[in-house]
């Protein structure tokens, strides 16, 4: 399973892609990066830049699931609004591709990677570097957080993701079947109209 995880933010949006390796708690990093936007740009321009960056990552890496850090209320309302806006872009991009989305809290991610739900950023970065066997710590912290989120989902959300993917597939199949049935009914209706029309025409000639 391939997970593309996003640590949403308006100034820095961390993105990490991780593959599950065979079974168990093993994983391999596929890619990591940060989409940045200048604080001096208008909000709409910054959101557009983030959206385009996300689209590129999704098209390039073709994940099986998208994981997003759940947004919590903070004292800084402006900051949390920007984070929520960026998270919304992730949800829309995933929905457009029919990808299941999972959301995990920061404490869930920290606990999954370090064993401590209150771990600091440096501790998270150290453990991500060690788990993925990286030569150097991913920087900035937003990139490390995205990888930690991907690992968290692989270990804690893999089973639910497979169920969601199966349900989505069933839903799509059901829609296709319903569409096919509707088309067949429409064809039968058109044939009936033609038959009735021909019958009426024959009667009038008599």
């Amino acid at each position: 399973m391939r997970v593309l995880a996003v640590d949403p933010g308006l100034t820095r949006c961390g993105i990490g892609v991780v593959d599950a390796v065979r079974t168990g708690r093993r994983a391999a990093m596929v890619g990591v990066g940060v989409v940045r936007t200048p604080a001096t740009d208008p909000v709409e321009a910054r959101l557009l830049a983030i959206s385009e960056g996300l689209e590129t990552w999704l098209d390039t890496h073709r994940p099986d699931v998208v994981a997003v850090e759940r947004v919590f209320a903070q004292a800084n309302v402006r900051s949390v609004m920007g984070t929520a806006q960026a998270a919304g872009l992730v949800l829309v991009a995933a929905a457009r591709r029919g990808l299941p989305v999972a959301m995990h809290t920061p404490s869930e991610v920290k606990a999954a990677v370090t064993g401590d739900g209150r771990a600091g950023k440096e501790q998270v970065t150290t453990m991500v570097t060690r788990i993925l066997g990286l030569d150097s710590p991913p920087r900035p912290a937003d990139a490390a957080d995205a990888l930690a989120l991907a690992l968290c989902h692989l270990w804690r959300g893999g089973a639910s993701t497979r169920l969601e993917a199966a349900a989505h597939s069933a839903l799509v199949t059901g829609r296709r079947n319903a569409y096919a049935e509707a088309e067949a009914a429409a064809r039968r209706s058109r044939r009936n109209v033609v038959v009735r029309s021909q019958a009426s025409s024959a009667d009038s000639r008599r």
Side-chain angles (χ1 to χ4, degrees):
M1 180 172 66
R2 172 167 292 184
V3 181
L4 185 147
V6 182
D7 179 33
L10 197 54
T11 301
R12 292 184 305 276
C13 193
I15 304 175
V17 184
V18 171
D19 278 350
V21 179
R22 297 178 186 172
T23 58
R25 295 170 70 86
R26 296 184 60 195
M29 186 185 79
V30 177
V32 65
V34 175
V35 177
R36 302 173 185 267
T37 66
T40 54
D41 284 0
V43 173
E44 62 272 23
R46 300 174 74 183
L47 291 174
L48 176 61
I50 291 171
S51 177
E52 291 174 344
L54 290 169
E55 298 281 349
T56 298
W57 275 83
L58 287 165
D59 290 341
T60 300
H61 296 288
R62 302 177 65 84
D64 299 301
V65 59
V66 175
V68 187
E69 185 170 279
R70 190 179 295 277
V71 179
F72 276 91
Q74 302 173 359
N76 189 336
V77 177
R78 185 174 181 180
S79 175
V80 76
M81 282 184 63
T83 301
Q85 288 168 333
L89 294 175
V90 182
L91 301 182
V92 171
R96 186 176 290 126
R97 290 164 175 77
L99 295 172
V101 177
M103 304 189 79
H104 299 280
T105 65
S107 58
E108 278 183 85
V109 175
K110 293 174 182 177
V113 174
T114 71
D116 179 3
R118 297 182 179 181
K121 286 188 175 293
E122 280 305 315
Q123 189 176 352
V124 170
T125 299
T126 298
M127 288 305 298
V128 166
T129 304
R130 185 179 304 170
I131 292 166
L132 294 173
L134 305 179
D135 295 330
S136 59
R139 301 291 182 189
D142 310 84
D145 288 346
L147 290 174
L149 177 59
L151 289 171
C152 172
H153 185 73
L154 278 180
W155 295 341
R156 295 193 169 195
S160 62
T161 293
R162 286 190 288 273
L163 288 173
E164 288 167 6
H168 176 77
S169 177
L171 177 63
V172 171
T173 301
R175 285 174 177 167
R176 287 173 181 164
N177 290 341
Y179 179 78
E181 290 172 1
E183 280 288 293
R187 285 194 297 271
R188 288 194 298 270
S189 177
R190 286 194 292 270
R191 283 198 298 270
N192 291 337
V193 169
V194 170
V195 169
R196 286 196 297 270
S197 176
Q198 291 173 341
S200 297
S201 177
D203 289 342
S204 64
R205 286 197 296 271
R206 293 193 191 100

